[in-house]
Amino acid sequence: MTPNNSSSTRLGIIGFGQVGQAMAKVLTRSHSVTIFDLRTDQCRAHPLVENGDVTLASSSAALVDASDIVILCLPTPEASHAVAAHISGAMRPGLIVMETSTVTPQDVAALDAVLSPGGARVVDTAVIGGIHALSSGQAVFLVGAAQDDSDPISAVLKQLAAEVFYLNRQGGGMRAKLVANAVSHGVYVVLSEAIAVATAQDIPMSVIYRLLARESGLSRPLTHRIGERLFNGNFAGGMSTANARKDSKLFLETAHELKVPVFAIQAAHSVYEIAACEGMAADDYAIVATLWEKWIGRTLRAEEVSP
């Protein structure tokens, strides 16, 4: 089967795991795609390779020679550094290297230091969303560059993404992804603690799930406390910090009585204790975020927020 190549931009994907495969599935619809992965036998057996939808390169350097944009889809920062060392000699002016692996901003800078002397441009292009979203062209991308609709990166991302955020500087995409992932991972621990305490009291999971799924549940701390109150500096009225502290304390006492260990919620409670000592007890508890304004010396207010 021959790809329907409506674009003259040649794409290369290094790393043909689940992410690389999902990207290739979408991109072969309008691009010539070459892949490379150390697991060559597995690659040869993949339907995209067997059907001729993608070309399997003999080496990472050979892939670079056959590509205008190289997409890194690797499992660890160490793997990205290793690949960069292998392909550095094949760099040329105009080549774009998109780092979609999850790495740090410092890793992106290190990749740039290795690859840009040969004329390549390194752009961090972090992915948010699961494999299903990516394979259906509905992922979210965080790009460490300014937006330019004529840029070949933008053309590629339009196929893969439901939404693209441009962070205007190298490393910005990875910075934003690490923050977003930290929220997801942290919230999951809080949820695990909460449903454990609910289970210990025989509260139906269907009830807890629906309560938290409502806008007044998990969404409200973001949309109301941050979007409507913190960003506007509006801390009058609402649920006071004193009441939030009281409710948090009652939950912790309940968990202790039930012998259910909690960690994240215990840590969060300490912030309400600090806020109370800082004279914030009467204000809406959205004000606790301003503690970080004091600690980092910068405002947390947004200049503009789109729903």
Side-chain angles (χ1 to χ4, degrees):
M1 179 177 176
T2 303
N4 177 22
N5 300 324
S6 61
S7 170
S8 60
T9 302
R10 302 170 302 162
L11 305 180
I13 299 175
I14 299 180
F16 202 57
Q18 287 187 309
V19 173
Q21 292 169 26
M23 286 189 183
K25 177 183 175 182
V26 175
L27 294 174
T28 52
R29 296 168 188 165
S30 56
H31 291 83
S32 169
V33 178
T34 302
I35 66 162
F36 177 76
D37 193 291
L38 292 176
R39 299 163 299 182
T40 54
D41 290 341
Q42 292 182 34
C43 290
R44 289 193 185 97
H46 194 279
L48 287 175
V49 177
E50 288 187 332
N51 295 337
D53 295 316
V54 301
T55 300
L56 178 60
S58 59
S59 67
S60 55
L63 177 142
V64 171
D65 289 340
S67 305
D68 302 306
I69 296 178
V70 174
I71 304 173
L72 303 184
C73 301
L74 300 162
T76 65
E78 292 75 18
S80 288
H81 291 298
V83 166
H86 280 293
I87 66 175
S88 60
M91 294 298 100
R92 63 183 184 275
L95 182 72
I96 299 173
V97 177
M98 293 170 56
E99 174 58 289
T100 69
S101 323
T102 300
V103 301
T104 68
Q106 292 75 22
D107 290 317
V108 176
L111 293 178
D112 186 70
V114 171
L115 301 179
S116 63
R121 174 188 172 203
V122 177
V123 181
D124 51 302
T125 318
V127 187
I128 298 287
I131 300 301
H132 177 73
L134 190 57
S135 62
S136 59
Q138 293 298 305
V140 173
F141 280 83
L142 306 168
V143 183
Q147 182 175 6
D148 182 350
D149 289 335
S150 65
D151 193 300
I153 292 176
S154 296
V156 171
L157 294 182
K158 283 178 181 177
Q159 288 187 270
L160 295 169
E163 191 167 11
V164 181
F165 295 91
Y166 292 89
L167 280 298
N168 297 319
R169 59 171 176 151
Q170 189 179 71
M174 292 302 166
R175 287 184 172 88
K177 177 172 183 176
L178 293 177
V179 170
N181 280 0
V183 171
S184 295
H185 302 159
V187 168
Y188 185 70
V189 174
V190 169
L191 288 173
S192 298
E193 294 178 355
I195 64 173
V197 172
T199 298
Q201 300 176 90
D202 296 319
I203 300 172
M205 282 299 100
S206 59
V207 172
I208 294 299
Y209 183 87
R210 291 191 63 183
L211 280 174
L212 295 176
R214 293 176 60 84
E215 194 283 330
S216 57
L218 275 175
S219 295
R220 192 164 176 79
L222 176 65
T223 58
H224 177 65
R225 292 264 133 50
I226 291 181
E228 296 174 6
R229 286 191 174 275
L230 176 64
F231 287 166
N232 294 306
N234 175 19
F235 306 118
M239 183 175 182
S240 69
T241 299
N243 279 337
R245 173 175 172 264
K246 179 260 297 178
D247 287 359
S248 177
K249 183 171 181 289
L250 292 175
F251 173 88
L252 293 174
E253 289 174 353
T254 300
H256 179 72
E257 290 170 2
L258 295 167
K259 295 182 172 56
V260 177
V262 292
F263 308 95
I265 297 175
Q266 174 69 66
H269 177 76
S270 65
V271 176
Y272 293 99
E273 296 287 358
I274 295 169
C277 292
E278 292 283 336
M280 300 176 177
D283 295 298
D284 184 275
Y285 73 87
I287 200 171
V288 302
T290 65
L291 289 169
W292 277 269
E293 293 185 331
K294 175 182 176 182
W295 294 332
I296 70 173
R298 296 180 64 176
T299 181
L300 303 182
R301 317 300 161 87
E303 62 282 356
E304 181 181 353
V305 178
S306 299

